[in-house]
Amino acid sequence: MGDEQYCSKKIVGTYNNVHLNGGKSYGGYALYNRTPSHFVIKIPDSIPSAQAAPMLCGGVTLFSPLKHHNCGPGKRVGIIGVGGLGHFGVLLAKAMGADKVVAISRKTGKANDALAMGADLYVATDDEPDWATKYARSLDLIVCTVSSTKMPMTEYLGLLATGGALVQVGLPDDGVLLAPVGKLQRRLKATSSFIGSPNEIREMFQLVAEKGVKAWIEEIPMKDANQAIVDMHAGKARYRYVLVNEQ
């Protein structure tokens, strides 16, 4: 299931938390899950469970801001960070019909992957000294998945055309992330997004089924879950690990 369950009084994390009835939530480590029907979303038969699982979390986390900011024909979209979250941004923005999808990362190492996902352009900020001026005002929407305050926010905002928006979905764990006020001229917007509503998940699955979107996943046996966590922190995932129970 997704990362969160919503009710009128409390948000209950579906992993390492306590349900409203007092039971412990085990997330992807659970053998089974019983959920009130209000929160259940039908997965189209054409989407395998291993594909659907990360879409219920990372997928809708990117789909929601893309939809909210009208990603589609006529939009030039940038995705900062090509990882477990960002790769969904590239896949979904392309599926939604954006005129141009630009993947942005620090190094060139993921360029071939991003282009194979459907990106029209890959920008490596550490390896292109003039990237900020070369691509200035070339995007209408940027979704940033980087979970750190140590990024060139001023330059990122400079990539936006007048009236553009930067949406932060990565949650920095090293401080508070603030947009440079001086760069928020030209009607630029700096905003944020969390995960997504049940209806957005349904819309995402419909898009995925219609367009044949395939997440880049690696299935890992449940017995190797601890090693998968170590590998994920080491940056080895390309691009989502999915734990599976052996039959």
Side-chain angles (χ1 to χ4, degrees):
M1 302 300 294
D3 280 348
E4 307 293 339
Q5 291 182 352
Y6 294 84
C7 70
S8 59
K9 296 181 180 179
K10 182 181 178 182
I11 296 178
V12 179
T14 56
Y15 170 68
N16 196 28
N17 209 317
V18 178
H19 289 297
L20 301 180
N21 66 358
K24 186 173 176 60
S25 60
Y26 291 93
Y29 294 96
L31 295 177
Y32 62 89
N33 179 276
R34 183 173 67 182
T35 305
S37 61
H38 177 73
F39 300 109
V40 173
I41 296 158
K42 177 176 173 54
I43 298 173
D45 293 338
S46 61
I47 304 176
S49 294
Q51 283 281 330
M55 292 179 185
L56 285 163
C57 179
V60 73
T61 297
L62 270 293
F63 178 79
S64 181
L66 289 171
K67 179 197 170 189
H68 182 77
H69 293 275
N70 302 311
C71 175
K75 290 285 187 177
R76 300 163 297 173
V77 180
I79 305 296
I80 299 176
V82 182
L85 278 178
H87 100 285
F88 276 120
V90 174
L91 293 168
L92 293 171
K94 195 67 176 180
M96 296 167 82
D99 281 4
K100 186 176 185 179
V101 179
V102 180
I104 303 169
S105 190
R106 292 189 303 111
K107 300 291 186 180
T108 58
K110 296 179 180 178
N112 289 337
D113 286 353
L115 295 174
M117 292 169 195
D120 300 289
L121 176 68
Y122 185 89
V123 178
T125 58
D126 281 1
D127 299 323
E128 297 184 54
D130 62 343
W131 66 271
T133 54
K134 183 177 180 180
Y135 304 111
R137 303 194 183 194
S138 64
L139 300 172
D140 304 299
L141 171 64
I142 296 173
V143 182
C144 180
T145 68
V146 177
S147 296
S148 171
T149 62
K150 297 178 179 64
M151 55 179 165
M153 184 60 72
T154 297
E155 287 77 8
Y156 286 158
L157 288 168
L159 299 179
L160 290 171
T162 298
L166 184 147
V167 185
Q168 180 69 27
V169 298
L171 183 62
D173 56 8
D174 58 353
V176 178
L177 182 64
L178 296 174
V181 176
K183 274 290 179 180
L184 296 181
Q185 300 170 0
R186 300 189 291 112
R187 295 195 302 274
L188 299 184
K189 296 179 286 291
T191 184
S192 62
S193 185
F194 185 36
I195 181 168
S197 69
N199 280 338
E200 287 174 330
I201 297 176
R202 293 185 184 98
E203 290 181 37
M204 175 191 66
F205 277 146
Q206 182 178 357
L207 174 74
V208 166
E210 289 178 353
K211 300 294 185 178
V213 176
K214 299 293 185 184
W216 287 36
I217 63 171
E218 181 179 348
E219 297 184 34
I220 305 291
M222 188 65 75
K223 64 181 177 62
D224 296 328
N226 288 343
Q227 184 60 48
I229 293 173
V230 172
D231 290 345
M232 182 184 68
H233 284 297
K236 296 180 180 180
R238 292 293 186 275
Y239 282 86
R240 299 288 295 210
Y241 288 146
V242 176
L243 299 177
V244 295
N245 287 313
E246 296 176 299
Q247 300 298 321

